[in-house]
Amino acid sequence: MSFSCNHSLDGSFPPSPAEDNRASQRLSWGSLLQRLTELKGINQSVTTDHQCNCSETGSVADMSLSESESSFFCFPLEETLATEVVATITQSLNNASHILGCSKLILPDCLLHNISEELLHLAVSEPCGLRGALIDLCVDRGDQDSLCTVDQIAVDSTLVPTFHVTLVLRFESSGLWPKFQKLFKGGKSSTRHQHTLRLSTSFRAIKKKLYCSGELLVEECC
């Protein structure tokens, strides 16, 4: 009687059909895990590329991001950028005191904080965030030739601006400060104090998108 003994070259027995199935399943799970890993890498790449798609020499995307999609802009990096912009605004206003007809200009801390918050609010739906802002800084002096342009600030000069913001600041005309000034106008210290002006905490912000046609957004901030 004859029989066959199917040894492999290394002396071991060939795998049984059940073992073949388990090996196939292991291979399938391995392939699946590998595919999931690849997909995860693609998603991470897409998330990274989802950041600013502005071109230095070309055009920008023709659609702004929704507030929910671009909420990632409101993190410390944007807040730090807003702080730097407000510091530039402060310096520009202090340097322009002679243009505004005063020897000293008082800037309330509340005003600077509100400007920072408003810039972050206006930038949240923009494809490049606050980096894409071009800001015209103006002061309403309240006379016949009322509007005075103090400075124009490009937040990131290496980018093509995506939106334009006009900040219209005002002198304080109510409250204690005007009354305080009047006390000194009739005294010996009038020469020293009559040219000291204080900005109001309220201002106007006008926004216009530069990559699509649309109405102006005008907001009164206080």
Side-chain angles (χ1 to χ4, degrees):
M1 183 173 62
S2 63
F3 63 92
S4 61
C5 184
N6 296 324
H7 285 275
S8 62
L9 292 178
D10 60 358
S12 63
F13 288 95
S16 65
E19 292 173 340
D20 284 338
N21 290 336
R22 287 194 296 269
S24 177
Q25 291 176 357
R26 286 195 297 269
L27 180 60
S28 298
W29 281 110
S31 300
L32 179 60
L33 290 175
Q34 181 180 0
R35 181 58 177 164
L36 290 175
T37 302
E38 293 173 353
L39 289 175
K40 183 178 179 181
I42 293 175
N43 288 336
Q44 291 176 345
S45 176
V46 171
T47 301
T48 302
D49 294 337
H50 188 59
Q51 296 177 356
C52 178
N53 287 325
C54 292
S55 170
E56 296 183 4
T57 56
S59 61
V60 297
D62 58 355
M63 293 182 64
S64 62
L65 303 178
S66 67
E67 188 166 346
S68 60
E69 290 174 335
S70 57
S71 60
F72 64 90
F73 281 120
C74 285
F75 59 95
L77 180 60
E78 280 286 283
E79 294 177 358
T80 300
L81 186 58
T83 301
E84 294 174 355
V85 173
V86 169
T88 302
I89 290 175
T90 301
Q91 182 177 0
S92 297
L93 288 170
N94 288 330
N95 293 340
S97 58
H98 63 286
I99 300 176
L100 299 174
C102 61
S103 58
K104 182 179 180 182
L105 186 63
I106 299 177
L107 310 176
D109 291 338
C110 183
L111 170 64
L112 301 177
H113 174 76
N114 290 343
I115 290 175
S116 176
E117 292 296 317
E118 180 65 13
L119 290 177
L120 288 173
H121 165 66
L122 296 176
V124 73
S125 61
E126 293 301 318
C128 295
L130 188 55
R131 294 174 60 220
L134 180 65
I135 302 170
D136 277 347
L137 182 61
C138 306
V139 176
D140 187 350
R141 295 180 293 188
D143 52 23
Q144 186 175 1
D145 187 20
S146 60
L147 198 62
C148 176
T149 300
V150 174
D151 198 2
Q152 185 175 80
I153 302 169
V155 177
D156 190 338
S157 59
T158 64
L159 294 180
V160 176
T162 62
F163 69 106
H164 179 266
V165 176
T166 301
L167 296 177
V168 182
L169 311 183
R170 308 180 180 97
F171 291 128
E172 187 166 328
S173 58
S174 61
L176 295 177
W177 178 252
K179 297 178 181 179
F180 177 76
Q181 279 187 307
K182 290 179 181 179
L183 293 176
F184 288 94
K185 284 185 177 180
K188 297 181 180 180
S189 301
S190 59
T191 303
R192 177 182 177 184
H193 290 275
Q194 65 182 350
H195 295 303
T196 299
L197 296 176
R198 177 186 175 94
L199 288 177
S200 171
T201 56
S202 64
F203 63 95
R204 178 180 302 159
I206 305 171
K207 175 185 175 181
K208 179 178 176 57
K209 295 179 182 293
L210 299 180
Y211 51 88
C212 65
S213 60
E215 296 182 356
L216 292 176
L217 174 64
V218 180
E219 294 188 349
E220 291 290 339
C221 308
C222 57

